[in-house]
Amino acid sequence: SLVSTHRFSIHFYKHIVTTQSLDRAAGGRRPPLSASCWTTVYVNQRWAGDWGDRGGGVYVCVCNGTFNSRIFLRYLHLVFAAPKSSEQQRLKKDLLRKQCGGVNQSLVNLNKIDLNNFIVDDKHGIIYCYIPKVACTNWKRTLIALNHDEPYPDPMSFKSNLVHRFDRFKLLTQFPMPERKAKLKHYTKFLFVRDPFVRLISAYRDKMQKYDQYFYDGYVRVILQRFTNQRNLTVNYNVARKKGLRPSFYNFIQYIVDPRTQTYAFEPHWSQMYRLCHPCLIEYDFVGHQESLQEDAQELLKMVKLENDIKFPPSSENMTSPDSVMDWFQSVPLQDRRKLYKIYEEDFQLFGYRRPTELLDD
């Protein structure tokens, strides 16, 4: 067969694996690339002899017996002409490998790890592990926009309070195990991280000061009762907010370091990042940082050949600044600061954040 566009044409009949081969390789399932596609085949670089034995591959859409050339060529470009990672990305991934101590990822049992934060975009071959309080609202907006037809809508056209609904996305946990493994192996996997203490401040500002009924019932009331000895608190969060009821930042830190809190999983907005995204068990293709969000977002979009198709939203003007950390922690005793660091130490080390000696040393 021959696929042609105004830019180039390429023979690809040698590089297409039959659907029967895909059935054997993927446990008898072929995930559709889009609703308009009737079936899918798999293009694997190991079988693409003319391009060399590189490993990896992509799903390609077949519509009504013919290849969707636009989608095919996008993926062909992605797989065989993808730019090399920047030196900064290489250093980040080298650090992860070093800190993880040579974990054998091929032995990972996916049944035993939490994959609830992994969003799958089959259309573009992307898996995003979202971490609350690390630009996840804008990344979700961007993925929702990419799910529309081209030209893609402005991600900012989607309201922030609606983008977190789970029915807007496909989660990795929704796929059978053979497909999970195939997607984790072949799709572009990325996450964004943030200085752990700055992320905690952001979580406090958002969920302790501007809480809704969920956070009031589950956390704010508990913290106020436990650390401020307040009793007979209202059950209505609106009434509580009007009365100015809210924990102090120190109360919030007391709650996190309290041994009673350690007996169950943290709420995701302040859970350790490594517990949400498992960087020692899953090999990420891109690790972005909130501190360089716009630059990293542009680099990632370029990596997946979307830099000319969509623009990542601008950063919030109200974003918590790293420069304010010292001010926030003035009310937190040294002993509690050190306990807090121990809880988030792996996040600091895995993602290359320095130990904040100005907060922890005498």
Side-chain angles (χ1 to χ4, degrees), residues 117-151:
N117 286 48
F118 289 71
I119 293 174
V120 177
D121 175 1
D122 280 318
K123 182 179 177 183
H124 301 94
I126 293 169
I127 294 177
Y128 166 47
C129 183
Y130 69 89
I131 296 174
K133 309 313 302 174
V134 192
C136 77
T137 298
N138 281 344
W139 274 117
K140 287 179 179 180
R141 281 174 166 148
T142 302
L143 290 175
I144 291 171
L146 288 172
N147 233 359
H148 287 65
D149 293 331
E150 296 184 54

Side-chain angles (χ1 to χ4, degrees), residues 213-230:
Q213 192 70 52
Y214 167 79
F215 281 96
Y216 180 67
D217 287 342
Y219 304 97
V220 172
R221 287 183 71 199
V222 173
I223 294 172
L224 290 174
Q225 290 170 347
R226 191 181 295 179
F227 301 107
T228 69
N229 294 316
Q230 295 192 49

